[in-house]
Amino acid sequence: MDTLDNRSCAYGLRHQVHLLTFDEDALDIRTTIYDHDHEIWDISASKESPDLFFTCYKRVLENKKIESKATLWRMAPNTPTDPNGLSEPQHHQSRGHLEEVLSLDVGDGTVKKVVWQDNTEVISVEDWRICLWDIDIKQGKAKLTGTIEAPDRRYKFASAVLNPHAQEVVAIYGRSIHGWDLSSLKTTFALIDATPAMILCIDYNPNKPFQLATGSDDCKLRIWDVHHGAKKPIMVIQDHTHWVWDVAYNKFHDQLVLTSSSDCQVNLQSIVSVSTGADYRFDDQYGGEDDMDEDSDRVVSAEGSHSGDHADRTSFDRASPEPQPDVPTDGLVQTYEQHEDSVYQVAWSTVDPWLFMSLSYDGRAVMNQVPREEKFRIIMN
Amino acid sequence: MATQAAPAADTRQQQQQPAAKPAATNASRRRAKSFLRNYYGLQQSETSPQSGSKDADAAQRSAAAKSDPYDIDGHSFEVDKYMHKMFVEKQLPGLIQADNDLVADIRQLDGDMKTLVYENYSKFLSATDTINKMKSNVDNLESEMARLTQNIGKIAASSSTINNSLGTKREKIRQLNGVHSLLTKLQFVFELPANLNHCLETGSYTQAVKSYCRTLHLLQHYNHLTVFTGIERECKAIMVTIAHRIRQNMSREEATGAEISDSVGLLLALKENPETLWKKYLELSTKFLDKQYKKTLDDIQPLPLYQPPPPATPGSAKSHPATASSLAAAAAATPKKAISKRLSKSPFPAATAAAAAAAAAASNEISRKSEALEAEKPEDKIAYLNHHYLSEIEDFVASFRNYFLLPSNTSATGAMAFGGKDTTEEKGSSSLVVVAGGGGAAFQETEEEDPNGTARYRPAWFIKETRAATQLTKEQRSEANRAIKDAASKLTHGYLDTVRTFLEFPDNVLTMQPAAHIHVLKSLQAAAKSCKALCQLMGFDGLATGLVQDWESQLVERVLVTIKTELLSRISKQDKETQAAWGGVTSSSSSSSSSSSPTTSTSSSKVQQQQGSNGGLLAPGSVARQPTLGRFIQDTKQWLVDTLCSESFPFVESYMTNDVQFMSTKAEQSQFLKTFQSGFKGFWDQVLQSMQNMATEKDSSPTISLLMSQLCFELSTSAIERLYKTLSKTIFRPGAMAGDRRRARSNSFSIESYEDHPVLPELQWDSKSTIEACKDGGHALLDGFIERVGKDLSWLIMQGLETTTATTTGAAENYLTMPAPPTRVSAAWEQVYRQLNMVEQQVLQVFGEDGDRTGAGRTRSSESNRHEPFSLRPGGSNGSKSNNNNNNNGGGGGGSSSNGGGGGHLSITRSHRNDSHTSFGSSGHNAAAGGRFGRQQQQQDLLMSNIDKLFSDRVDIFTRCLDMNRTGILFGIVKIVLKAAAEAVRLGTYGRGGLQQIQVDAEFAKVWLWRFSIADERFMYSILEETQQTAYRRCIDPVPLDASAVEAIISSTAQRIESRK
């Protein structure tokens, strides 16, 4: 199952949340439509309860002021007497409605994003601060437990991501990447002015601690290893021709990274050389070589004087970099050009490792799969 | 035809041999014929059947050939038949042709025959002469032979007589001789204790040990005789004392290296424990050498690094044959001579101990003296160092190896291999020559003992005895080996470090005198070659070569680094000047930092400041500067090429043209060339790299990247290839050895440099890749420039969108609450326009007019330039605008479309403009008319724009700029700005005022930025259109401004801009 929202940007248009359910066997998508009163800027679903999600939305008050809010919703099937039933649902569409569970009290700025920690704790990212909340879904209450102020008043927070390996939140603002410990709210690392361009998005490698991916408005995807406090990224990839708006690691194979950009493209990148896949492969090779040695020993005992040559040759073969066609390599796996407008979000399915979706400004959501060859390459190794 | 030649030869023979009988028998004639035939290489098969050939086959074959009567060359040729055939077969022309052919053939045969006759006649004449001469000589010979036989007989007779008479005495003499030698030996043995004592007193331990060692085996052999036992005992006692003395001697503080070595040799001969001995030896020598090192360093302080050789003084050179450099050269020749001399002088083994000792002493003394003589000579550091320190090390290592390391069974060959080549030994032998000549027969002992005949510093018996004594086990030997290796490497590294200090480069490497360094390196190489022991032990020559190579690469690097730094400093200087001159662009770069300031007031005030400063800077003053940047690039390029060609290359070449020993071989030269080649390549890489670094530095202006990118392009188009061409014909000239080089050098840079000379194949790859690298670097820099300027400007606009300043009230308001009819174009866009103008100026200066690079663009750009004033003039602009609007509204306006003012401008763009403008214009009016249908209409618009997008080409924003001219570069920037604006507009929410402001801004951009985006106007229009649509859709109160109102605002802004100009 894959949840993604329709980010309806046109003001005055009906705002909706679409729940797309993908049936892999039938290759069929069913849509459940939930009406939402205000324009949605971000959505994040709970990892534990599939019917819960936060939206960050904006509304205009009295033609004077823009108010930004973050609310937790529960999806509910529609009652027969739906007041909003403007259009009759088609055969693959159904309607539902949203029940408000709770709202977060947002300060002055805009709330950009809500990040789930679990069903009791969430983090909201606002313009000038990051808030830690304890939420009680049953009671419908949220309690502010801590805030992190923007370290540089010149730049708003652009986004943040949780470290899946530790109690840490990593946020981006301006050209900098900054990490805080969630319990002590102390800085864990800070890469101030890490890039020459504004950073627009960030994701944390789900399998490899300390590895981050950021996209910025110089069209570049950067992979960082923040462990050693290195000021330079360990990898820089430029395949887009405009700003990179979103980046997402595959949750199962962290060598696959998706990026979306306002050049209307979605790129699937392979960064196998810096992923956990590289580690495994290295181990495998090591083991393989040990096996090889044993083999050649056996040969020595069996063939006598000729065996020396044989052993040399085999070990040489092993050492020479054979261009094995089915080994995953670094580089662009595929470019998806189905979008006609800027692509602002990409997301991997949380259950199917090969499925992902992208959403563009014109409201088109495209679901794609990792190319079969690449899939086999990864599985085989 | 050939057969006809044969009879001709026959007749000729008759003529040539007048002595032969005429008309011999048929058989004899045939024989002669066949001879001649053989002689002339004619085929047997052509002989007539009468020739009586025994070969049946041949006969048959020839018969078959003969049977054809029409063959004009055949024997059976019949004239009549042939004629008949001809007449029958041929027409008249054919016959005439045949006749002509025949006549020609006949003439030719005639001529051939005559030639043959003449040739053979002259040969015959000369043969006759020869025979006559021989005849006369033979007569003399016989009488001479007779005399010879007689004389030899006489000699044989007298010889046998003499032999007979001497036969009896010979035996006796031989016996006596034996007795004599035995007695001498006995006497020597009996006198040994006394001698030894004498030696002990006089201190000539060498002699004592030698005598003792020689007699030792004798004594031991005969020690069953009491007489000998006594002597042995006595000798042993004395020797113990001597050994003790020797020990003391070598442990003295002031003992020299040679003394220590000698002493150790003696002790070894006395069968001391070798293990303790080598340790002691090592310790003492190390101490001594350290001392020597310090002393030498002190001594060389005042010495000059290099003394130019005095104008050839052959006499002095002869008198000091042991100078460091000539040593190696003379090494091969001298010993042989010395040995032969000595051998001739000492035919009998009648040496006395004293004489030998004296010789050793004398040799030492002489070498001292020669050293002293050398010291008087003007000496330089390296020679002194080599002489006083390196040679000591070498001595020590050589003796150590001799004593302890070389296995005894290979002693003979080892000694051979070791003989007579290294410095010290050479010194010894050459001084010995002097001794032999002046002091008389002194070294016979050595000669007798050492049948190999190699003269050595340490007498051969030492080695023999010590070898026998050195019964080190394998482990011990390897331990000693390790120890000596450690010690030696420490010592040599000290030495090499010192040498390195001689090779310091001055700051400006070009002012350096090559001679000094070359001299040092030469001496080093010579010394390294001569230090055989060190080389064998630890590859000293390898170390020295390494040092030389280090020096080479450093030299190359230094030469090029100077140029690099100079180049970069030129660029940065120019950059500073430009920054000063173009305050506007600098402020744009500073605005990127200031724009990030959070408070609105500061950034807006900055903008206003910039406006003020820019207004001033667009004054004619900047136009006067027009060609500066372009000229700077040309100047810099010229300077770079000139400097490299006229300074660096000759400088490097001067090193090669000197008679440098380490560049004497092909391999060494090519090594140097390789070093230079890679150094040169690296130079470019570094230059490009540091250009990139300069461009990305925070405080550099974007102009610098523009400058540098153009410089890179300029370099890649011609300069680099030219440089490599120059290299090919100077330094890398194939097959040019040192001599040729010097000759050719005089004109190589003046005359040839203008000729076209192909790049050498080995340089071609380098040249190509450097050009490519330069191109890439230029592109990268240019793209960096575009990106940077684009970003700066986008930032302005994005910042303006977040908060804007209404100039009338001075209060900061945002797009949501902005009052409805905007009064002017927003400041950010005006600012963008100004900056773009300035960038255009710079680009024009740096890259020149469009036509310079791409011929196609020329007419168009000039056209746009020409028409710009019209379109910008308020009146003209008005006309064109109204024209436009009329079309949009679907109204008539046909009359105004022929309005002359903006016609030239609009004729290009009108069609696109209509396409893209219609959708928004109509939707705007509809929305204004009735809100009810607005939504539906809007959705249709969305659909329409999506369909539009489907058919429009995708434009990449941040891409490599391929048109390196005004159009391409500015379009690159405009693309970035517009796209950023489109993206930024999507993030906001707008009130009516905000929407209208965006509308005005977009229309402004359409008119005023058109000039910069002629490369793809369609893109500009569509993206600006989309921006407006977005704003419309994101507006809470979407009422677009009336087109005429927009027009009014824009024209007022235009007036303001015009008036500022």
Side-chain angles (χ1 to χ4, degrees), chain A residues 7 9-13 39 41 58 60 63-66 128 153-156 175 193 196-198 217-220 238 240-243 245 262-265 337 339-342 344 361-362, chain B residues 592-593 596-598 698 787 791 794-795 798 802 814 816-817 935 938-939 942 946 949-950 954-959 975-976 979-981 983-984 986-989 1026 1030 1033-1037:
Chain A
R7 178 175 160 187
C9 294
Y11 194 88
L13 209 69
E39 60 171 9
W41 285 80
K58 283 181 183 170
V60 178
N63 283 359
K64 282 276 188 262
K65 197 165 171 283
I66 297 172
W128 307 112
R153 288 301 292 182
R154 287 179 302 167
Y155 299 109
K156 294 172 182 174
R175 303 179 176 86
D193 286 341
M198 302 295 250
D217 71 359
D218 58 355
C219 324
K220 289 188 176 97
Q238 175 166 7
H240 284 296
T241 57
H242 206 241
W243 308 346
W245 277 97
S262 37
D263 64 357
C264 315
Q265 292 185 351
E337 298 184 323
H339 291 287
E340 301 297 338
D341 208 325
S342 306
Y344 289 115
Y361 180 74
D362 52 12
Chain B
S592 78
S593 55
S596 42
S597 64
K698 287 239 158 62
E787 192 178 326
K791 274 205 176 141
S794 328
W795 185 262
M798 286 159 75
E802 275 194 17
N814 63 26
L816 187 62
T817 56
R935 189 153 289 161
Q938 195 183 354
Q939 270 173 338
L942 198 64
N946 282 346
K949 252 182 232 163
L950 257 171
R954 174 168 286 162
V955 177
D956 290 339
I957 308 300
F958 290 97
T959 43
K975 258 192 323 193
I976 294 172
K979 177 75 179 175
E983 286 291 333
R986 291 178 176 183
L987 297 177
T989 308
E1026 196 204 308
T1030 309
R1033 268 181 268 138
R1034 298 202 52 77
C1035 180
I1036 50 174
D1037 181 17

Side-chain angles (χ1 to χ4, degrees), chain B residues 900-918:
Chain B
H905 169 187
L906 274 178
S907 61
I908 307 164
T909 65
R910 197 168 52 201
S911 59
H912 299 319
R913 195 177 271 219
N914 289 346
D915 285 350
S916 54
H917 206 110
T918 328

Side-chain angles (χ1 to χ4, degrees), chain B residues 5-27:
Chain B
D10 200 359
T11 52
R12 205 164 57 228
Q13 191 187 11
Q14 285 173 7
Q15 286 171 355
Q16 281 173 1
Q17 292 181 328
K21 283 174 224 158
T25 57
N26 233 6

